[in-house]
Amino acid sequence: MEKRGRGAKAPSMPAPQQPPVTPRKERRPSMFEKEAYAQILRERLRESIHDVQYVEPPFDDSIADLGKEWKSALAKLKFANSYRMEPLKKFQAHSVETKVQQILKESLQDVKYDDKVFSHLSLELADRILSSVKEFGYHRYKFIIKVLFIQKTGQAINIASRWIWDVAWDSWVSAKHETETYVVLVLVFALYCE
């Protein structure tokens, strides 16, 4: 029997088998290290390069001209920051209201109530009102146009809108056109975007 004490050795156990050593992979560089960002871009671009073998020319010149017009329409002008916190011209509700009222009178002069017609007419009115409001030239304003057709059948209606906006520069306008069979209510919201 073995004595265990201070100087005695513990019985030796067989050594556990270690897994075979595999070569270490190189660590991928971080994009925040110097020179590494360019290397990462080169690797990504190398993986995404595709060769174009053949491009068929357009059949006639008119199609080629359409492509040029389409590309020029997509090109955006880039402006330097102006750091402007207020509009060059403040939204004037009274002038917009008179213009919207005039459009309603012209468009709905002899129109009778019809569900199918009014669904298309509301979109046309909204587009026409939007284009006429943009003609006033309010710089950096975004407009929301809401057109409501309500049939008169002896009911009451309440319409409410809530917005978070800048009280100093944002505004809204309402215009109403009423006939014997229906009421049209147009709301124009003008929101200044800095």
Side-chain angles (χ1 to χ4, degrees), residues 79-183:
F79 297 104
N81 290 336
S82 65
Y83 303 103
R84 187 167 194 78
M85 301 298 285
E86 57 188 38
L88 296 170
K89 180 179 169 184
K90 190 175 177 183
F91 183 76
Q92 297 169 351
H94 58 86
S95 59
V96 172
E97 185 179 359
T98 55
K99 182 67 176 176
V100 171
Q101 198 69 41
Q102 177 186 356
I103 290 171
L104 288 176
K105 281 183 183 177
E106 291 172 3
S107 301
L108 304 172
Q109 194 170 17
D110 297 325
V111 178
K112 299 292 181 191
Y113 185 82
D114 186 11
D115 295 345
K116 296 171 187 170
V117 173
F118 281 173
S119 62
H120 298 291
L121 188 60
S122 62
L123 292 173
E124 291 174 14
L125 271 175
D127 288 339
R128 188 170 169 197
I129 290 169
L130 180 63
S131 62
S132 66
V133 169
K134 283 185 176 181
E135 287 175 3
F136 282 103
Y138 297 117
H139 188 62
R140 290 189 176 178
Y141 272 95
K142 295 200 185 243
F143 301 102
I144 299 170
I145 313 293
K146 202 174 192 180
V147 179
L148 302 166
F149 282 93
I150 305 157
Q151 183 180 13
K152 284 186 179 178
T153 55
Q155 80 280 15
I157 187 166
N158 289 328
I159 298 171
S161 299
R162 290 181 87 175
W163 302 90
I164 297 174
W165 64 16
D166 183 8
V167 179
W169 307 118
D170 299 340
S171 186
W172 66 281
V173 170
S174 68
K176 185 173 89 172
H177 179 77
E178 191 168 350
T179 65
E180 295 175 2
T181 56
Y182 64 91
V183 177

Side-chain angles (χ1 to χ4, degrees), residues 9-124:
K9 290 183 180 178
S12 62
M13 296 179 94
Q17 283 188 337
Q18 294 182 353
V21 178
T22 57
R24 288 184 103 178
K25 286 185 176 180
E26 272 190 48
R27 183 177 68 84
R28 288 179 63 188
S30 168
M31 66 181 277
F32 298 108
E33 294 175 4
K34 289 184 179 178
E35 304 292 324
Y37 188 67
Q39 179 185 351
I40 292 170
L41 284 178
R42 277 194 297 270
E43 288 174 4
R44 287 184 183 171
L45 289 175
R46 183 176 53 233
E47 294 170 0
S48 66
I49 292 177
H50 301 287
D51 293 332
V52 176
Q53 299 296 329
Y54 176 72
V55 176
E56 189 173 323
F59 295 112
D60 58 349
D61 295 333
S62 62
I63 295 173
D65 292 338
L66 284 174
K68 291 175 187 174
E69 292 173 14
W70 181 70
K71 285 182 181 177
S72 65
L74 289 179
K76 272 194 166 182
L77 294 175
K78 292 188 177 182
F79 297 104
N81 290 336
S82 65
Y83 303 103
R84 187 167 194 78
M85 301 298 285
E86 57 188 38
L88 296 170
K89 180 179 169 184
K90 190 175 177 183
F91 183 76
Q92 297 169 351
H94 58 86
S95 59
V96 172
E97 185 179 359
T98 55
K99 182 67 176 176
V100 171
Q101 198 69 41
Q102 177 186 356
I103 290 171
L104 288 176
K105 281 183 183 177
E106 291 172 3
S107 301
L108 304 172
Q109 194 170 17
D110 297 325
V111 178
K112 299 292 181 191
Y113 185 82
D114 186 11
D115 295 345
K116 296 171 187 170
V117 173
F118 281 173
S119 62
H120 298 291
L121 188 60
S122 62
L123 292 173
E124 291 174 14

